[in-house]
Amino acid sequence: MPTYTKSESLFQEANQYIPGGVNSPVRAFKSVGRTPLYIDHGTDGHVFDVDGNEYIDFISSWGPLILGHANPLIQDAIRKEVEKGTSYGACNEHEVEMARMICNFFPSVDKVRMVNSGTEATMSAVRLARGFTGRDKIIKFDGCYHGHADMFLIKAGSGLATYGESGSAGVTKGTAEDTLVATYNDISSVKKLIQAFPHQIAAVILEPVMGNMGLIMPREGFLQELRELTSEHNILLIFDEVISGFRAAKGGVQELFGISPDLTCLGKIIGGGLPVGAFGGRADIMDHLSPNGRVYQAGTLSGNPLAMVAGIAMLRQLESPGFYDELEAVGARFEALVQEAIVPYGDKLSFNRCGSLCTLFFKSGGVICNDDAKKSDTNLYARYFQLMLDQGVYLPPSQFECMFLSAAHTDEDLQRTVEAMSTALAKVLA
Ligand SMILES: *Cc1c(COP(=O)(O)O)cnc(C)c1O
C-alpha cells in the first residue's frame, strides 16, 4: 500500500493558510473521502507525488496537457522566451501568431482576443454579446460550467454539484435573474424561455459537448436546432469550447458537428499548461470590443509572451498530420478495454466518450442530461476512486468530471488502468 504522509501533512498546513486547503475546490478530495495529493512532477501520462508515489494521470491538469506532462517542445519554447523577459504590457509578435493559429483551427473565428483564463473568456464573450445585441438576459444549460463569474454560478456542474450547492452565495438577485436555465438536449426548454422573454435574450451559451457533469454528448440534431433557433431570434450562439476545443476534434465540437457558433470560448489547451484563455468569433461582433467599439475588455497579462510561446508550441504539435487519428486511436482503444471490463456490470454502469474525453458513470441506462448524471451513485464512485488511487491510477476526485486522455498515454498505461479498474469494480460492485 502506498503511503501519503507528506501530502497529508502539507494539506494540514495548507488548511491553516488557504481556505479549505486548496486554490480551486475541484482539487479537494472531500467528496471521495481522502486528502488531496501534492504533486511534485510529471512525465508523459504520469505524475509523481511528494511521497514518491507514481500514478497514471487522467486529470491532465483538467484538460490542457493533451500531449502529456513535461512536453519537451513546450518546455524548450518557455525556456527560450523566459531568457528574454516575462511580461511587457505591450504588443508582442507571439500573440499575432497565436491569433492566426486559432483562426485557422476554428473557421467560425475571424478575430480572437486573448485573456488569462476560461472564466475571463466566457465572461467577456457574454458582455460582448450583450453589448452587440443590446439585450440583458442569457440562457445557459443545467450542468454546464463556464467558469466562476457570477452570472454562470447557477446550476453550474461539477464543482457545485459535488458539494451539493444549488448555486453560490454572493451572487446578487439581479444577476441571477438575468441568467435563464434550460435543459441540455431538450430544445423545447429553450423555446419556452425565448417565448417567455421575447427580444430580451442576448445569447445562448453552452458546452456543446458537456464536460463538467462528466461527459455528456448532444443528441442527434440538438446543436443544429439550437443554431437555427438562435439565428431566427437574433440571439448569439456561444460555444464554450474551453474543454472540448482541440479535444472533441481538431476544430472542437463545431467541426465535429459542422455548426458555426457566433462566438467561441477557448482556454486550457491553448496555454500549453500556462494560464490562458481566448474568445473569438464573427468579425462584425468582435469589432464591438474596445478600442474599436464600446464594449470594454482588458488584461494586464493578456497575450503574455510565455503563455503564447507555450500555446504555440502546443498547437504546432496538434497540427502535425495524423495527430488526431492517433489520439482518437488512444480513445477508441481505451473505450474498447473499458467496455470489455464492465460487461459483468453492464446494468450498473454507463460509459460516455468523445475523442480523448470520457466518463464512467455509476448509473445504469445511459446519461444524456444533468438529471441523469445526478442519479449516479457517488458513494460507489468514492470507493472506486480510492481503490484506483491505491493502485496508482489518479482519476478525477468527483463522479462529475471527465477523464482526460492524452497522446502520451501508452497502451501499457491503458491496460494497467483497466486491470486496476476490473479489480476495483469487483470490490465495489460485488
Ligand atoms: C475550465 C472551464 C472554464 C473555466 O476556465 P478557467 O481557466 O478555470 O477559468 C470555462 N468553461 C469550461 C467549459 C471549462 O471546462
Side-chain angles (χ1 to χ4, degrees):
M1 271 288 278
T3 55
Y4 306 99
T5 42
K6 275 193 185 168
S7 278
E8 280 162 1
S9 80
L10 275 168
F11 185 58
Q12 214 169 15
E13 193 185 356
N15 268 293
Q16 209 179 319
Y17 303 109
I18 305 172
V22 292
N23 279 315
S24 189
V26 297
R27 294 176 200 170
F29 280 20
K30 224 168 146 180
S31 76
V32 288
R34 289 282 270 263
T35 54
L37 301 177
Y38 282 74
I39 301 300
D40 179 69
H41 66 284
T43 54
D44 301 321
H46 294 218
V47 288
F48 300 76
D49 69 15
V50 288
D51 288 290
N53 303 310
E54 176 173 358
Y55 307 87
I56 304 170
D57 173 34
F58 290 101
I59 294 184
S60 304
S61 189
W62 299 106
L65 303 186
I66 196 168
L67 299 171
H69 293 270
N71 178 265
L73 295 179
I74 296 175
Q75 288 182 317
D76 284 347
I78 296 172
R79 246 182 241 120
K80 210 170 124 212
E81 191 63 25
V82 80
E83 288 293 323
K84 300 199 276 178
T86 53
S87 175
Y88 313 102
C91 303
N92 67 77
E93 63 180 313
H94 307 302
E95 66 190 359
V96 186
E97 179 169 10
M98 174 61 107
R100 179 165 46 73
M101 289 182 102
I102 290 175
C103 293
N104 280 339
F105 272 94
F106 290 82
S108 76
V109 176
D110 302 324
K111 290 189 177 181
V112 59
R113 184 163 277 179
M114 302 307 300
V115 291
N116 303 294
S117 68
T119 296
E120 274 186 62
T122 53
M123 181 183 93
S124 308
V126 166
R127 183 184 309 130
L128 176 59
R130 286 174 166 155
F132 180 78
T133 59
R135 301 169 176 179
D136 288 345
K137 294 192 187 299
I138 58 163
I139 295 178
K140 78 177 284 292
F141 290 86
D142 186 9
C144 280
Y145 178 69
H146 303 294
H148 64 95
D150 287 1
M151 64 191 149
F152 298 124
L153 293 180
I154 292 147
K155 308 221 171 193
S158 161
L160 295 161
T162 303
Y163 298 111
E165 294 162 36
S166 62
S168 167
V171 174
T172 65
K173 243 210 249 144
T175 299
E177 275 169 14
D178 282 335
T179 300
L180 309 170
V181 180
T183 305
Y184 188 76
N185 272 337
D186 177 3
I187 198 74
S188 71
S189 70
V190 184
K191 282 185 185 155
K192 275 184 206 144
L193 290 173
I194 294 176
Q195 271 159 17
F197 299 94
H199 309 294
Q200 293 173 60
I201 297 162
V204 171
I205 184 168
L206 80 163
E207 295 177 81
V209 163
M210 269 173 80
N212 279 288
M213 271 312 282
L215 184 84
I216 303 180
M217 293 295 286
R219 66 158 179 73
E220 178 92 32
F222 175 63
L223 297 175
Q224 189 61 43
E225 287 162 20
L226 205 54
R227 176 65 284 184
E228 285 160 16
L229 188 63
T230 47
S231 296
E232 199 182 309
H233 293 274
N234 297 317
I235 295 168
L236 298 188
L237 181 61
I238 307 176
F239 274 12
D240 178 354
E241 300 229 42
V242 169
I243 282 186
S244 58
F246 309 95
R247 272 207 181 260
K250 187 170 182 248
V253 177
Q254 49 195 278
E255 176 188 302
L256 199 60
F257 289 87
I259 311 258
S260 220
D262 300 299
L263 294 172
T264 297
C265 301
L266 298 169
K268 300 194 167 121
I269 285 179
I270 54 169
L274 293 189
V276 101
F279 66 106
R282 278 166 41 195
D284 63 317
I285 302 173
M286 292 301 289
D287 280 333
H288 277 63
L289 283 175
S290 181
N292 284 5
R294 291 197 50 242
V295 178
Y296 196 70
Q297 191 282 324
T300 302
L301 294 172
S302 294
N304 173 266
L306 294 181
M308 294 303 99
V309 297
I312 290 165
M314 168 72 84
L315 297 187
R316 281 201 189 131
Q317 293 177 79
L318 306 191
E319 268 177 347
S320 73
F323 174 80
Y324 278 90
D325 294 336
E326 282 163 37
L327 187 65
E328 174 59 25
V330 173
R333 169 81 174 138
F334 188 61
E335 177 168 7
L337 289 169
V338 170
Q339 292 294 7
E340 199 184 308
I342 66 176
V343 167
Y345 319 103
D347 54 340
K348 292 178 179 144
L349 300 166
S350 304
F351 183 74
N352 287 354
R353 178 182 76 89
C354 178
S356 54
L357 303 164
C358 60
T359 301
L360 181 66
F361 291 97
F362 284 78
K363 178 195 172 295
S364 61
V367 173
I368 62 157
C369 70
N370 192 29
D371 278 343
D372 290 341
K374 278 194 289 201
K375 288 184 189 126
S376 302
D377 190 327
T378 53
N379 291 325
L380 291 184
Y381 184 85
R383 285 189 55 209
Y384 165 72
F385 169 88
Q386 299 199 13
L387 290 163
M388 292 297 278
L389 196 70
D390 290 340
Q391 294 179 90
V393 180
Y394 185 26
L395 297 176
S398 162
Q399 167 72 86
F400 306 121
E401 300 282 358
C402 291
M403 286 175 76
F404 294 89
L405 298 170
S406 82
H409 283 122
T410 63
D411 201 58
E412 195 199 328
D413 290 336
L414 303 183
Q415 286 193 37
R416 269 183 51 204
T417 301
V418 175
E419 275 163 33
M421 187 184 266
S422 297
T423 307
L425 290 177
K427 287 186 184 159
V428 170
L429 295 173

